[in-house]
Coordinates of all heavy atoms in Angstrom, one line a residue:
M1 N 0.9 -1.2 0.0 CA 0.0 0.0 0.0 C 0.9 1.3 0.0 O 0.3 2.3 0.3 CB -0.9 0.0 1.3 CG -1.8 -1.2 1.3 SD -3.2 -1.1 0.1 CE -4.5 -1.8 1.1
G2 N 2.1 1.1 -0.3 CA 3.0 2.3 -0.3 C 3.5 2.7 1.0 O 4.2 3.7 1.2
K3 N 3.0 2.1 2.1 CA 3.4 2.5 3.5 C 4.7 1.7 3.8 O 4.9 0.6 3.4 CB 2.3 2.1 4.5 CG 1.3 3.3 4.8 CD 0.4 2.8 5.8 CE 0.9 2.8 7.2 NZ -0.1 2.5 8.2
K4 N 5.5 2.4 4.6 CA 6.7 1.7 5.1 C 6.3 0.5 6.0 O 5.4 0.6 6.8 CB 7.5 2.7 5.9 CG 8.8 2.1 6.4 CD 9.7 3.2 6.9 CE 10.8 2.7 7.7 NZ 10.7 2.3 9.0
Q5 N 6.9 -0.6 5.7 CA 6.5 -1.8 6.4 C 7.1 -1.8 7.8 O 8.2 -1.5 8.1 CB 7.1 -3.0 5.6 CG 6.6 -4.3 6.1 CD 7.1 -5.4 5.3 OE1 8.2 -5.3 4.6 NE2 6.4 -6.6 5.3
E6 N 6.2 -2.2 8.7 CA 6.6 -2.4 10.1 C 7.3 -3.7 10.3 O 6.8 -4.7 9.8 CB 5.3 -2.3 11.0 CG 4.7 -1.0 11.2 CD 5.6 -0.1 12.0 OE1 6.3 -0.6 12.9 OE2 5.6 1.1 11.9
P7 N 8.4 -3.7 11.0 CA 9.1 -4.9 11.3 C 8.2 -5.8 12.2 O 7.5 -5.3 13.2 CB 10.3 -4.5 12.0 CG 10.4 -3.1 12.2 CD 9.1 -2.5 11.6
S8 N 8.3 -7.1 12.0 CA 7.8 -8.0 13.0 C 9.0 -8.5 13.8 O 10.0 -7.9 13.8 CB 7.1 -9.2 12.2 OG 5.9 -8.7 11.6
V9 N 8.8 -9.7 14.5 CA 9.8 -10.1 15.3 C 10.2 -11.6 14.9 O 9.5 -12.3 14.4 CB 9.5 -10.1 16.8 CG1 9.0 -8.7 17.2 CG2 8.5 -11.2 17.2
A10 N 11.5 -11.9 15.3 CA 12.0 -13.2 15.2 C 12.6 -13.5 16.7 O 13.2 -12.7 17.2 CB 13.0 -13.4 14.2
A11 N 12.4 -14.7 17.1 CA 12.8 -15.0 18.5 C 13.4 -16.4 18.7 O 13.1 -17.3 17.8 CB 11.6 -14.8 19.5
S12 N 14.2 -16.5 19.7 CA 14.9 -17.8 19.9 C 14.0 -18.8 20.6 O 14.4 -20.0 20.6 CB 16.2 -17.5 20.8 OG 15.7 -17.1 22.0
S13 N 12.9 -18.4 21.2 CA 12.1 -19.4 21.9 C 10.5 -18.8 21.7 O 10.3 -17.8 21.2 CB 12.4 -19.4 23.3 OG 11.7 -20.3 24.1
E14 N 9.6 -19.7 22.1 CA 8.2 -19.4 22.0 C 7.4 -20.0 23.0 O 7.8 -20.9 23.7 CB 7.8 -19.8 20.6 CG 7.6 -21.3 20.4 CD 7.0 -21.7 19.0 OE1 7.7 -21.3 18.0 OE2 6.0 -22.3 19.0
W15 N 6.2 -19.4 23.2 CA 5.2 -20.1 24.0 C 3.8 -19.9 23.3 O 3.8 -19.1 22.4 CB 5.2 -19.5 25.4 CG 5.0 -18.0 25.5 CD1 5.9 -17.0 25.2 CD2 3.8 -17.4 25.9 NE1 5.3 -15.9 25.4 CE2 4.0 -16.0 25.9 CE3 2.5 -17.9 26.3 CZ2 3.1 -15.1 26.2 CZ3 1.5 -17.0 26.7 CH2 1.8 -15.6 26.6
T16 N 2.8 -20.5 23.8 CA 1.6 -20.4 23.2 C 0.6 -19.8 24.1 O 0.4 -20.3 25.3 CB 1.0 -21.8 22.7 OG1 2.0 -22.3 21.8 CG2 -0.2 -21.7 22.0
D17 N -0.2 -18.8 23.7 CA -1.0 -18.1 24.7 C -2.4 -18.8 24.7 O -2.6 -19.8 24.1 CB -1.1 -16.6 24.3 CG -2.0 -16.4 23.1 OD1 -2.6 -17.3 22.5 OD2 -2.0 -15.2 22.6
E18 N -3.3 -18.2 25.5 CA -4.6 -18.9 25.8 C -5.4 -19.0 24.5 O -6.3 -19.9 24.4 CB -5.4 -18.0 26.7 CG -4.8 -17.9 28.2 CD -5.1 -16.6 28.9 OE1 -5.9 -15.8 28.3 OE2 -4.7 -16.4 30.0
E19 N -5.1 -18.1 23.5 CA -5.9 -18.2 22.3 C -5.2 -19.1 21.2 O -5.6 -19.2 20.1 CB -6.1 -16.8 21.7 CG -7.1 -16.1 22.6 CD -7.1 -14.5 22.3 OE1 -6.5 -14.2 21.2 OE2 -7.6 -13.8 23.1
G20 N -4.1 -19.8 21.6 CA -3.4 -20.7 20.7 C -2.4 -19.9 19.8 O -2.0 -20.5 18.9
L21 N -2.2 -18.7 20.0 CA -1.2 -17.9 19.2 C 0.2 -18.1 19.7 O 0.4 -18.1 21.0 CB -1.6 -16.4 19.3 CG -2.6 -15.9 18.3 CD1 -2.8 -14.5 18.5 CD2 -2.2 -16.2 16.8
R22 N 1.1 -18.3 18.8 CA 2.5 -18.3 19.2 C 3.0 -17.0 19.6 O 2.7 -16.0 18.9 CB 3.3 -18.9 18.0 CG 3.1 -20.3 17.6 CD 3.6 -20.6 16.3 NE 5.1 -20.4 16.2 CZ 5.7 -19.5 15.4 NH1 4.9 -18.8 14.6 NH2 7.0 -19.5 15.4
Q23 N 3.7 -16.9 20.7 CA 4.3 -15.7 21.2 C 5.8 -15.8 21.4 O 6.2 -16.9 21.8 CB 3.6 -15.3 22.5 CG 2.1 -15.1 22.5 CD 1.6 -13.9 21.7 OE1 2.4 -13.0 21.4 NE2 0.5 -13.9 21.3
P24 N 6.5 -14.8 21.1 CA 8.0 -14.8 21.2 C 8.4 -14.8 22.7 O 7.8 -14.2 23.5 CB 8.4 -13.6 20.5 CG 7.3 -12.6 20.6 CD 6.0 -13.4 20.6
R25 N 9.6 -15.4 22.8 CA 10.2 -15.4 24.1 C 11.8 -15.6 23.9 O 12.1 -16.0 22.9 CB 9.7 -16.6 25.0 CG 10.2 -16.6 26.4 CD 9.2 -17.0 27.4 NE 8.9 -18.5 27.2 CZ 7.9 -19.1 27.8 NH1 7.2 -18.5 28.8 NH2 7.7 -20.4 27.6
G26 N 12.5 -15.3 24.9 CA 14.0 -15.4 24.8 C 14.5 -14.2 24.0 O 14.1 -13.0 24.3
D27 N 15.5 -14.4 23.2 CA 16.2 -13.3 22.5 C 15.2 -12.9 21.3 O 14.9 -13.7 20.5 CB 17.4 -13.7 21.8 CG 18.5 -14.0 23.0 OD1 18.4 -13.4 24.1 OD2 19.4 -14.9 22.7
V28 N 14.7 -11.7 21.3 CA 13.8 -11.2 20.3 C 14.5 -10.1 19.5 O 15.1 -9.1 20.0 CB 12.5 -10.6 21.1 CG1 11.6 -10.0 20.1 CG2 11.9 -11.8 21.8
H29 N 14.4 -10.3 18.2 CA 15.0 -9.4 17.2 C 13.9 -8.9 16.3 O 12.8 -9.4 16.1 CB 16.0 -10.1 16.3 CG 17.1 -10.7 17.1 ND1 18.4 -10.1 17.1 CD2 17.2 -11.9 17.7 CE1 19.2 -10.8 17.9 NE2 18.6 -11.9 18.2
A30 N 14.2 -7.7 15.7 CA 13.3 -7.2 14.7 C 13.6 -7.9 13.4 O 14.7 -8.2 13.0 CB 13.5 -5.7 14.5
W31 N 12.4 -8.1 12.7 CA 12.5 -8.8 11.4 C 11.5 -8.4 10.4 O 10.3 -8.2 10.7 CB 12.3 -10.4 11.7 CG 12.0 -11.1 10.4 CD1 12.9 -11.4 9.4 CD2 10.7 -11.7 10.1 NE1 12.2 -12.1 8.4 CE2 11.0 -12.3 8.8 CE3 9.5 -11.8 10.7 CZ2 9.9 -13.0 8.2 CZ3 8.5 -12.5 10.2 CH2 8.7 -13.1 8.9
L32 N 12.0 -8.0 9.2 CA 11.1 -7.5 8.2 C 10.5 -8.8 7.4 O 11.3 -9.5 6.8 CB 11.8 -6.5 7.2 CG 12.0 -5.2 7.7 CD1 12.8 -4.4 6.7 CD2 10.6 -4.5 7.9
P33 N 9.2 -9.0 7.4 CA 8.7 -10.1 6.6 C 9.2 -10.0 5.2 O 9.2 -9.0 4.5 CB 7.2 -10.0 6.8 CG 7.0 -9.3 8.1 CD 8.2 -8.3 8.2
G34 N 9.6 -11.2 4.7 CA 10.1 -11.3 3.3 C 11.6 -11.3 3.2 O 12.2 -11.6 2.2
T35 N 12.3 -11.0 4.3 CA 13.7 -11.1 4.4 C 14.0 -12.4 5.3 O 13.2 -12.9 6.0 CB 14.4 -9.9 5.1 OG1 14.0 -9.8 6.4 CG2 13.9 -8.6 4.4
N36 N 15.3 -12.8 5.1 CA 15.7 -14.0 5.9 C 16.7 -13.7 7.0 O 17.5 -14.5 7.3 CB 16.1 -15.0 5.0 CG 17.2 -14.7 4.1 OD1 17.9 -13.7 4.3 ND2 17.5 -15.5 3.1
Q37 N 16.8 -12.4 7.3 CA 17.7 -12.0 8.4 C 17.1 -10.9 9.2 O 16.1 -10.3 8.8 CB 19.1 -11.6 7.9 CG 19.1 -10.3 7.0 CD 20.4 -9.8 6.7 OE1 21.3 -10.6 6.5 NE2 20.6 -8.6 6.5
T38 N 17.6 -10.8 10.5 CA 17.1 -9.8 11.4 C 17.6 -8.4 11.0 O 18.6 -8.3 10.2 CB 17.5 -10.1 12.8 OG1 18.9 -10.0 12.9 CG2 17.1 -11.5 13.3
L39 N 17.1 -7.4 11.6 CA 17.5 -6.0 11.3 C 19.0 -5.8 11.7 O 19.8 -5.0 11.1 CB 16.7 -4.9 12.1 CG 15.4 -4.5 11.4 CD1 14.9 -3.2 12.1 CD2 15.5 -4.2 10.0
C40 N 19.5 -6.6 12.7 CA 20.9 -6.4 13.1 C 21.8 -7.4 12.3 O 23.0 -7.4 12.6 CB 21.0 -6.7 14.6 SG 20.6 -8.4 15.2
G41 N 21.2 -8.1 11.4 CA 22.0 -8.8 10.4 C 22.2 -10.3 10.7 O 23.0 -11.0 10.0
L42 N 21.5 -10.8 11.6 CA 21.6 -12.3 11.9 C 20.8 -13.1 10.9 O 19.6 -12.8 10.7 CB 21.1 -12.6 13.3 CG 21.9 -12.3 14.6 CD1 21.2 -12.7 15.8 CD2 23.3 -13.2 14.5
P43 N 21.3 -14.1 10.3 CA 20.6 -15.1 9.5 C 19.7 -15.9 10.3 O 20.1 -16.4 11.3 CB 21.6 -15.9 8.8 CG 23.0 -15.4 9.1 CD 22.8 -14.5 10.4
L44 N 18.4 -15.7 10.1 CA 17.4 -16.5 10.9 C 17.7 -17.9 11.1 O 17.7 -18.4 12.2 CB 16.0 -16.3 10.3 CG 15.5 -14.9 10.2 CD1 14.1 -14.9 9.5 CD2 15.3 -14.3 11.6
H45 N 18.1 -18.6 10.0 CA 18.2 -20.0 10.1 C 19.4 -20.3 11.0 O 19.4 -21.1 11.8 CB 18.4 -20.6 8.7 CG 18.5 -22.1 8.7 ND1 17.4 -22.9 9.0 CD2 19.5 -22.9 8.5 CE1 17.8 -24.1 8.9 NE2 19.1 -24.2 8.6
R46 N 20.5 -19.7 10.7 CA 21.8 -20.1 11.4 C 21.7 -19.6 12.9 O 22.3 -20.3 13.7 CB 23.0 -19.4 10.7 CG 24.2 -20.1 10.9 CD 25.3 -19.6 10.0 NE 25.6 -18.2 10.2 CZ 26.4 -17.5 9.5 NH1 27.0 -18.0 8.4 NH2 26.6 -16.2 9.7
A47 N 20.9 -18.6 13.1 CA 20.8 -18.2 14.5 C 19.7 -18.8 15.2 O 19.5 -18.7 16.3 CB 20.6 -16.7 14.6
R48 N 19.0 -19.8 14.5 CA 17.9 -20.6 15.0 C 16.9 -19.7 15.6 O 16.3 -19.9 16.7 CB 18.4 -21.6 16.1 CG 19.4 -22.5 15.6 CD 19.7 -23.6 16.5 NE 20.7 -24.5 15.9 CZ 21.1 -25.6 16.5 NH1 20.6 -26.0 17.6 NH2 22.1 -26.4 16.0
L49 N 16.4 -18.7 14.8 CA 15.4 -17.8 15.3 C 14.1 -18.2 14.5 O 14.1 -18.4 13.3 CB 15.8 -16.4 14.9 CG 17.0 -15.9 15.7 CD1 17.4 -14.5 15.2 CD2 16.7 -15.7 17.2
D50 N 13.0 -18.2 15.2 CA 11.7 -18.5 14.5 C 11.0 -17.1 14.2 O 11.2 -16.2 15.0 CB 10.8 -19.3 15.5 CG 11.3 -20.7 15.5 OD1 11.7 -21.2 14.5 OD2 11.1 -21.2 16.6
R51 N 10.2 -17.1 13.1 CA 9.6 -15.9 12.7 C 8.1 -15.8 13.3 O 7.4 -16.8 13.5 CB 9.3 -15.9 11.2 CG 10.6 -16.0 10.4 CD 10.4 -16.6 9.0 NE 11.6 -17.3 8.6 CZ 12.1 -17.1 7.4 NH1 11.6 -16.2 6.5 NH2 13.2 -17.7 7.1
F52 N 7.9 -14.6 13.8 CA 6.6 -14.3 14.3 C 6.0 -13.2 13.5 O 6.0 -12.0 14.0 CB 6.7 -14.0 15.8 CG 7.1 -15.1 16.7 CD1 8.5 -15.3 16.7 CD2 6.3 -16.0 17.4 CE1 9.0 -16.4 17.4 CE2 6.8 -17.0 18.1 CZ 8.2 -17.2 18.2
Q53 N 5.4 -13.5 12.3 CA 4.9 -12.4 11.4 C 3.8 -11.7 12.0 O 3.5 -10.5 11.7 CB 4.6 -13.0 10.1 CG 4.2 -11.9 9.1 CD 4.4 -12.4 7.7 OE1 4.7 -13.5 7.4 NE2 4.1 -11.5 6.7
H54 N 3.0 -12.3 12.9 CA 1.8 -11.7 13.5 C 2.2 -10.9 14.7 O 1.2 -10.2 15.3 CB 0.8 -12.8 14.0 CG 1.4 -13.8 14.9 ND1 2.3 -14.7 14.5 CD2 1.1 -14.0 16.3 CE1 2.6 -15.4 15.6 NE2 1.9 -15.0 16.6
V55 N 3.4 -10.8 15.1 CA 3.8 -10.1 16.3 C 4.7 -8.9 15.9 O 5.8 -9.1 15.4 CB 4.6 -10.9 17.3 CG1 4.9 -10.0 18.5 CG2 3.7 -12.1 17.8
L56 N 4.2 -7.7 16.1 CA 5.0 -6.6 15.6 C 6.1 -6.2 16.6 O 5.9 -6.4 17.8 CB 4.0 -5.3 15.4 CG 3.1 -5.3 14.3 CD1 2.2 -4.1 14.3 CD2 3.8 -5.5 12.9
W57 N 7.1 -5.8 16.0 CA 8.3 -5.3 16.8 C 7.9 -4.3 17.9 O 8.3 -4.5 19.1 CB 9.4 -4.9 15.8 CG 10.7 -4.2 16.6 CD1 11.0 -2.9 16.4 CD2 11.6 -4.8 17.3 NE1 12.1 -2.7 17.1 CE2 12.6 -3.9 17.7 CE3 11.8 -6.2 17.7 CZ2 13.7 -4.2 18.4 CZ3 12.9 -6.4 18.5 CH2 13.8 -5.5 18.8
V58 N 7.1 -3.3 17.5 CA 6.7 -2.3 18.5 C 5.9 -2.9 19.7 O 6.1 -2.6 20.8 CB 5.9 -1.2 17.9 CG1 6.8 -0.3 17.0 CG2 4.7 -1.7 17.0
D59 N 5.1 -4.0 19.3 CA 4.4 -4.7 20.4 C 5.3 -5.5 21.3 O 5.2 -5.5 22.5 CB 3.4 -5.6 19.8 CG 2.2 -4.8 19.1 OD1 2.1 -3.7 19.4 OD2 1.6 -5.5 18.2
A60 N 6.4 -6.0 20.7 CA 7.3 -6.8 21.5 C 8.1 -5.9 22.5 O 8.3 -6.2 23.6 CB 8.3 -7.5 20.6
L61 N 8.4 -4.7 21.9 CA 9.1 -3.7 22.8 C 8.2 -3.3 23.9 O 8.6 -3.2 25.1 CB 9.4 -2.4 22.0 CG 10.5 -2.5 20.9 CD1 10.5 -1.1 20.2 CD2 11.8 -2.8 21.5
W62 N 6.9 -3.1 23.7 CA 5.9 -2.8 24.7 C 5.8 -3.9 25.7 O 5.8 -3.7 26.9 CB 4.6 -2.4 24.0 CG 3.5 -2.0 25.0 CD1 3.3 -0.7 25.4 CD2 2.5 -2.8 25.6 NE1 2.3 -0.7 26.3 CE2 1.8 -2.0 26.5 CE3 2.2 -4.1 25.6 CZ2 0.7 -2.4 27.2 CZ3 1.2 -4.6 26.4 CH2 0.5 -3.7 27.2
L63 N 5.7 -5.1 25.2 CA 5.6 -6.2 26.2 C 6.8 -6.3 27.1 O 6.7 -6.6 28.3 CB 5.5 -7.5 25.4 CG 4.1 -7.9 24.8 CD1 4.2 -9.0 23.8 CD2 3.1 -8.0 25.8
A64 N 8.0 -6.1 26.4 CA 9.2 -6.2 27.2 C 9.3 -5.2 28.3 O 9.8 -5.4 29.4 CB 10.5 -6.1 26.2
D65 N 8.7 -4.0 28.0 CA 8.7 -2.9 29.0 C 7.7 -3.1 30.1 O 7.9 -2.6 31.2 CB 8.4 -1.6 28.2 CG 9.6 -1.0 27.6 OD1 10.8 -1.4 28.0 OD2 9.5 0.0 26.9
T66 N 6.6 -3.6 29.7 CA 5.4 -3.7 30.7 C 5.1 -5.0 31.4 O 4.4 -4.9 32.4 CB 4.2 -3.1 29.9 OG1 3.9 -4.1 28.8 CG2 4.3 -1.7 29.4
T67 N 5.7 -6.0 30.9 CA 5.2 -7.3 31.4 C 6.5 -8.2 31.7 O 7.6 -7.9 31.3 CB 4.4 -8.1 30.5 OG1 5.2 -8.5 29.4 CG2 3.1 -7.4 30.1
D68 N 6.3 -9.1 32.6 CA 7.3 -10.1 32.8 C 7.2 -11.2 31.8 O 6.8 -12.4 32.1 CB 7.1 -10.7 34.3 CG 8.3 -11.6 34.7 OD1 9.3 -11.5 34.0 OD2 8.1 -12.4 35.6
S69 N 7.6 -10.9 30.6 CA 7.3 -11.7 29.5 C 8.4 -12.6 29.1 O 8.2 -13.5 28.3 CB 7.0 -10.9 28.3 OG 8.0 -9.9 28.1
G70 N 9.6 -12.5 29.8 CA 10.7 -13.4 29.4 C 11.3 -13.0 28.1 O 12.1 -13.6 27.5
I71 N 11.0 -11.7 27.6 CA 11.5 -11.2 26.4 C 12.8 -10.3 26.6 O 12.9 -9.5 27.5 CB 10.5 -10.2 25.7 CG1 9.4 -11.1 25.1 CG2 11.1 -9.4 24.6 CD1 8.3 -10.3 24.5
A72 N 13.9 -10.8 25.9 CA 15.1 -10.0 25.9 C 15.3 -9.3 24.5 O 15.6 -9.9 23.6 CB 16.3 -10.9 26.2
I73 N 15.0 -8.0 24.6 CA 15.0 -7.2 23.3 C 16.5 -7.1 22.8 O 17.4 -6.7 23.6 CB 14.4 -5.8 23.5 CG1 12.9 -5.9 23.8 CG2 14.7 -4.9 22.4 CD1 12.1 -6.4 22.6
C74 N 16.7 -7.3 21.6 CA 18.0 -7.1 21.0 C 18.3 -5.6 20.8 O 17.6 -4.9 20.2 CB 18.1 -7.8 19.6 SG 19.6 -7.4 18.7
R75 N 19.3 -5.2 21.5 CA 19.6 -3.8 21.5 C 20.1 -3.3 20.2 O 19.9 -2.1 19.7 CB 20.7 -3.5 22.6 CG 20.2 -3.6 24.0 CD 21.3 -3.6 25.0 NE 22.2 -2.5 24.9 CZ 23.4 -2.5 25.3 NH1 23.9 -3.5 26.0 NH2 24.2 -1.5 25.2
R76 N 20.7 -4.1 19.4 CA 21.3 -3.7 18.1 C 20.1 -3.6 17.2 O 20.1 -2.7 16.3 CB 22.2 -4.8 17.5 CG 23.6 -4.7 18.3 CD 24.4 -6.0 18.1 NE 24.8 -6.1 16.7 CZ 25.2 -7.2 16.1 NH1 25.2 -8.3 16.8 NH2 25.5 -7.2 14.8
C77 N 19.1 -4.4 17.3 CA 17.9 -4.2 16.4 C 17.1 -3.0 16.8 O 16.7 -2.2 16.0 CB 17.0 -5.4 16.6 SG 17.4 -6.8 15.6
A78 N 17.0 -2.7 18.1 CA 16.4 -1.4 18.7 C 17.1 -0.3 18.1 O 16.5 0.7 17.7 CB 16.4 -1.4 20.1
A79 N 18.4 -0.3 18.0 CA 19.2 0.8 17.6 C 19.2 0.9 16.0 O 19.4 2.0 15.4 CB 20.7 0.6 18.0
A80 N 18.8 -0.2 15.4 CA 18.9 -0.2 13.9 C 17.6 0.4 13.3 O 17.4 0.2 12.1 CB 19.0 -1.6 13.4
G81 N 16.8 1.0 14.1 CA 15.6 1.7 13.6 C 14.3 1.0 13.8 O 13.3 1.3 13.3
G82 N 14.4 -0.1 14.7 CA 13.2 -0.8 15.0 C 12.2 0.0 15.7 O 11.0 -0.3 15.7
R83 N 12.7 1.0 16.4 CA 11.7 1.8 17.2 C 11.3 3.0 16.4 O 11.9 4.1 16.3 CB 12.5 2.3 18.5 CG 11.6 2.7 19.6 CD 12.3 3.3 20.8 NE 12.7 2.2 21.6 CZ 12.0 1.7 22.7 NH1 10.9 2.3 23.0 NH2 12.5 0.8 23.4
S84 N 10.3 2.7 15.6 CA 9.9 3.7 14.5 C 9.4 5.0 15.0 O 9.4 5.9 14.2 CB 8.9 3.0 13.6 OG 7.7 2.7 14.4
T85 N 9.0 5.0 16.2 CA 8.4 6.3 16.7 C 9.5 7.3 17.2 O 9.2 8.5 17.5 CB 7.4 6.2 17.9 OG1 8.1 5.4 18.9 CG2 6.2 5.4 17.4
R86 N 10.7 6.8 17.2 CA 11.8 7.6 17.7 C 12.8 7.9 16.6 O 13.0 7.1 15.7 CB 12.6 7.0 18.8 CG 11.9 7.2 20.2 CD 12.9 6.8 21.2 NE 12.4 6.7 22.5 CZ 12.9 6.3 23.5 NH1 14.2 6.0 23.4 NH2 12.4 6.3 24.7
R87 N 13.4 9.0 16.6 CA 14.5 9.3 15.7 C 15.7 8.5 16.0 O 16.0 8.1 17.2 CB 14.9 10.8 15.8 CG 15.7 11.3 14.7 CD 16.1 12.7 14.9 NE 15.0 13.6 14.6 CZ 15.1 14.9 14.5 NH1 16.4 15.5 14.7 NH2 14.1 15.7 14.3
W88 N 16.3 8.0 14.9 CA 17.5 7.1 15.1 C 18.6 7.9 15.9 O 18.8 9.1 15.6 CB 18.1 6.7 13.8 CG 19.2 5.7 13.9 CD1 19.0 4.4 14.0 CD2 20.6 6.0 14.0 NE1 20.2 3.8 14.1 CE2 21.2 4.7 14.1 CE3 21.4 7.1 13.9 CZ2 22.6 4.6 14.1 CZ3 22.7 7.0 14.0 CH2 23.3 5.8 14.1
S89 N 19.1 7.2 16.9 CA 20.3 7.9 17.6 C 21.3 6.9 17.9 O 21.1 5.6 17.9 CB 19.8 8.4 18.9 OG 19.3 7.4 19.7
R90 N 22.6 7.4 17.9 CA 23.7 6.5 18.1 C 23.8 5.9 19.5 O 23.5 6.7 20.5 CB 25.0 7.3 17.8 CG 26.2 6.6 17.9 CD 27.4 7.5 17.4 NE 27.5 7.5 16.0 CZ 28.2 6.6 15.2 NH1 28.7 5.6 15.9 NH2 28.3 6.7 14.0
V91 N 24.0 4.6 19.6 CA 24.0 4.1 20.9 C 25.5 3.9 21.4 O 26.4 3.9 20.5 CB 23.4 2.7 21.0 CG1 21.9 2.8 20.8 CG2 23.9 1.8 19.9
D92 N 25.7 3.7 22.7 CA 27.0 3.5 23.1 C 27.6 2.3 22.5 O 27.1 1.1 22.6 CB 26.9 3.3 24.7 CG 28.3 3.2 25.3 OD1 29.3 2.9 24.6 OD2 28.4 3.5 26.5
P93 N 28.7 2.4 21.8 CA 29.3 1.2 21.1 C 29.9 0.2 22.0 O 30.1 -0.9 21.6 CB 30.3 1.8 20.1 CG 30.7 3.1 20.8 CD 29.5 3.6 21.6
R94 N 30.1 0.5 23.2 CA 30.7 -0.5 24.1 C 29.6 -1.4 24.7 O 28.5 -0.9 24.9 CB 31.4 0.2 25.2 CG 32.7 0.8 24.9 CD 33.2 1.8 25.9 NE 32.2 2.9 26.0 CZ 32.4 4.0 26.9 NH1 33.5 4.1 27.5 NH2 31.5 4.9 27.0
P95 N 29.9 -2.6 24.9 CA 28.8 -3.6 25.4 C 28.4 -3.3 26.9 O 29.1 -2.7 27.5 CB 29.4 -4.9 25.3 CG 30.9 -4.7 25.2 CD 31.2 -3.3 24.7
Ligands
ZN101 ZN1 18.9 -8.2 16.7

């Protein structure tokens, strides 16, 4: 539709909610549907990440902030523009 595509997520682990939907857990990265790597450059297959096309990255960020969801947000993905409501800013390069 000419709109910029919102990233979904890819995660190292998953659980199933009450409605039977797969939900991400563990290491959670931003992933653009149609690509085979995360925003931070990890190949999904080699990093053993599962795709969650129905879970938007912004929602995962919100879940990680507000719930005890077991989600570990990838800081490199967050810095790579996954947080679409904020202007991109340089992060501390040290770990
Ligand atoms: Zn990442």
Side-chain angles (χ1 to χ4, degrees):
M1 300 287 215
K3 266 180 76 177
K4 184 168 169 276
Q5 191 176 21
E6 284 288 330
S8 292
V9 306
S12 63
S13 184
E14 70 177 60
W15 59 285
T16 304
D17 72 10
E18 296 154 356
E19 292 166 12
L21 276 177
R22 292 162 62 242
Q23 301 290 342
R25 186 148 66 189
D27 295 329
V28 175
H29 298 262
W31 162 68
L32 282 174
T35 68
N36 57 13
Q37 65 175 29
T38 63
L39 276 195
C40 66
L42 280 178
L44 294 178
H45 183 71
R46 207 168 60 188
R48 299 189 182 187
L49 296 168
D50 285 324
R51 299 155 209 233
F52 297 82
Q53 186 156 2
H54 57 290
V55 180
L56 290 178
W57 171 245
V58 289
D59 291 337
L61 289 175
W62 183 83
L63 283 173
D65 273 351
T66 57
T67 65
D68 185 15
S69 54
I71 288 176
I73 291 292
C74 171
R75 289 166 53 200
R76 288 164 65 200
C77 280
R83 201 181 277 268
S84 54
T85 54
R86 276 198 192 174
R87 195 182 283 189
W88 186 87
S89 63
R90 184 174 277 276
V91 290
D92 188 338
R94 286 163 301 184

